[in-house]
Structures are given as C-alpha cells and as structure tokens.
Amino acid sequence: MRPHLCLLVLAPIGAGCSSWPGFDRPHAEAGAYLALYTLHGRASMQSPGAQGPTDNAAMRLSEFGVGDRDDDVGGYLTLGDGFSGAELNYFKLTMADTEPGALSAGFGVLQANELVTSDVEMDEWRLRYVAKLLEHAFDNRVRVEFGGGVAIAHRRLDFSVKRDTGDGQSFTAEDNGVPYVFGRLRGSYGAASLNLDWAYVDGIGFGRDFDGRMQDVEVTGRYGFGAQDATIFAGYRYTELPAQGREGGLAYRADLRLEGFQVGMQVRF
C-alpha cells in the first residue's frame, strides 16, 4: 500500500477522533525500513493414508532448510503528535534462498529422510493506536513517557516445502484479524530517544489460523534531525506466530518466532 493510500485510511481516524490523545493537532510521518530477520520454530503436518490421515512429529525449521537471516522491507505511516496517535505498518517477508534440509518425519505427501528446500512468504499489516498516560521530565532534556492502547494485526503466511523435482507440500496460514493490548515506553534525551513497544494477546481473535498466546516486542533507538524533519532509527523485533489449520484435508500446526534487526528512516510532512 502506497503512503498516499495509507493516509486515506488514517485521515478519517484523526478527523473523527479529534478529542483523542494525538489527534488534536496531528502531523503525518512516513517511514521505510530494512529488516534482517530470522524465522525459528517448529512445524508439523499430517500425512495421507489408506485408513485416513496420520499425525507426524513436529520438526525444527532447520530440517526444512529454513534458518538463515533474510533481508526484507517494510513501511509505515503515522498520524499523531509524535507519541500518541495511530500507525499503519506493512511488512513483507520473503525467504526463498534456503539451504537443503533433511526431514526427520513425514510432512504431508513428503516422507521422512527426504531432502527438501523451502519458501516462506508473509504479508503483515498492523494498525496501532497509543495514548500517552504518564510523562515525567527529569530536567530540561531528559523525559520519560508511557502510553497504552490497542493494536490489530492481519497476516497471511505461505509455507512451501519442495523436493529437488519441484513438487512437494505447502500450507497457507491466514487470520481475520488479531487484536492486541499495546504499550509504549519512551526515554528521550534531546534529539535521541529509545522506544519499547510491546503488544500481547492470549487466544483472542476474529477467526482463522493464527491463534493462541502471542507477543510482539520492538526496541528502537531513534535520532531526529529537526531542520530536515527526518529521523533515523535502528532496533530489534521479536514476534510470536502460532498457527494451526487444515490444507487439502490434512491438519498442520506451526509454532513460529520471527526475530532480528531493522534499520530505517522516517520523514515528517
């Protein structure tokens, strides 16, 4: 989604909620970032049989050939006062350059001991709102702020495991939206700041495949150049992505964790 289309989503929020924190005199900021993430966890899938599907043991993602750190991109648009307000974030994960792995159990139509490679793609949308609740200034330059709010995420993940002949097994995990409680803690000194963003949900959602206890944690350091209305940032993110569902009549389960570093820049307009 391009920035001007994102603004069409956020602008009615600000216009309709002008009494909410962050929306009395809001400004817009757009940012883009490079993410260096690794996908960890386990996955399993039933195998077809003459007497019906049979369960298989969960395998580490390294057995599918997944594990190397991958570089991907994301972007966001915010509307608020710099702390309070709304943010729409999009991230695209693409992991296609994986090393061969050896399965220790069956996975759909694939058998144990087969050599495979895997492709993983995910589209993630996050819409968050945070309101400042507490603020304390230690002197003219040091300030600590805390806020709380809500977030909703939507994800679609395609997991494809292939033999060297090109055929194999895949599943798609998608949700209808997952709501989180959201908190933000910021410490700032002059133009530099350190943010801790934390989102948490425990088994609440609007249906489909991503479900269970999930948390999403980001720690980000920022430095602003006021004359240019620009900010550079770098940080770390950790997010949990448990999913289960059915693909072609076979049940699958994935307990995934995405983590790594990100660096980017945002501009105010």
Side-chain angles (χ1 to χ4, degrees):
M1 184 178 287
R2 297 176 180 177
H4 69 277
L5 296 179
C6 296
L7 188 59
L8 293 178
V9 175
L10 294 180
I13 298 177
C17 309
S18 59
S19 61
W20 291 18
F23 291 146
D24 51 348
R25 292 184 178 179
H27 60 261
E29 294 178 327
Y33 58 92
L34 173 69
L36 305 174
Y37 288 163
T38 302
L39 191 65
H40 301 288
R42 293 176 175 268
S44 64
M45 191 172 191
Q46 291 180 325
S47 293
Q51 305 301 319
T54 58
D55 295 336
N56 291 310
M59 291 176 282
R60 298 186 307 273
L61 291 193
S62 59
E63 298 178 67
F64 298 96
V66 180
D68 290 339
R69 196 172 299 276
D70 191 69
D71 56 316
D72 296 288
V73 295
Y76 61 88
L77 187 70
T78 67
L79 189 66
D81 61 13
F83 185 96
S84 301
E87 175 184 300
L88 180 65
N89 189 306
Y90 171 73
F91 171 65
K92 176 70 175 182
L93 173 72
T94 303
M95 291 184 169
D97 299 327
T98 57
E99 297 293 331
L103 300 181
S104 61
F107 187 82
V109 300
L110 298 170
Q111 305 299 315
N113 300 316
E114 288 200 75
L115 295 178
V116 297
T117 58
S118 299
D119 294 342
V120 184
E121 292 191 5
M122 184 178 72
D123 293 283
E124 178 190 58
W125 294 92
R126 291 180 293 164
L127 179 62
R128 309 188 294 194
Y129 172 76
V130 60
K132 186 186 300 185
L133 302 176
L134 297 171
E135 179 178 6
H136 181 76
F138 291 94
D139 55 38
N140 291 333
R141 295 178 62 84
V142 179
R143 187 169 71 255
V144 176
E145 301 162 281
F146 172 75
V150 294
I152 184 168
H154 169 67
R155 304 176 178 100
R156 175 189 170 95
L157 183 143
D158 297 310
F159 189 92
S160 178
V161 188
K162 298 175 290 185
R163 304 181 177 101
D164 56 6
T165 55
D167 61 331
Q169 183 67 60
S170 64
F171 67 80
T172 297
E174 188 173 10
D175 60 56
N176 292 329
V178 177
Y180 293 76
V181 293
F182 179 69
R184 171 173 292 166
L185 178 65
R186 174 182 294 173
S188 58
Y189 178 78
S193 65
L194 183 66
N195 273 22
L196 171 62
D197 288 344
W198 179 72
Y200 179 81
V201 63
D202 191 355
I204 301 174
F206 301 120
R208 299 290 297 274
D209 306 321
F210 287 103
D211 188 24
R213 180 178 298 176
M214 290 180 269
Q215 62 177 335
D216 190 353
V217 182
E218 287 184 85
V219 180
T220 309
R222 298 175 178 269
Y223 187 85
F225 300 90
Q228 289 79 29
D229 288 330
T231 300
I232 57 174
F233 60 87
Y236 170 86
R237 183 185 179 198
Y238 170 86
T239 186
E240 297 169 339
L241 302 168
Q244 58 182 330
R246 304 187 71 86
E247 189 78 31
L250 303 175
Y252 71 83
R253 185 179 183 90
D255 185 11
L256 307 179
R257 304 181 308 278
L258 188 68
E259 61 88 19
F261 301 94
Q262 56 194 26
V263 61
M265 181 177 182
Q266 73 179 37
V267 293
R268 177 176 173 176
F269 56 93

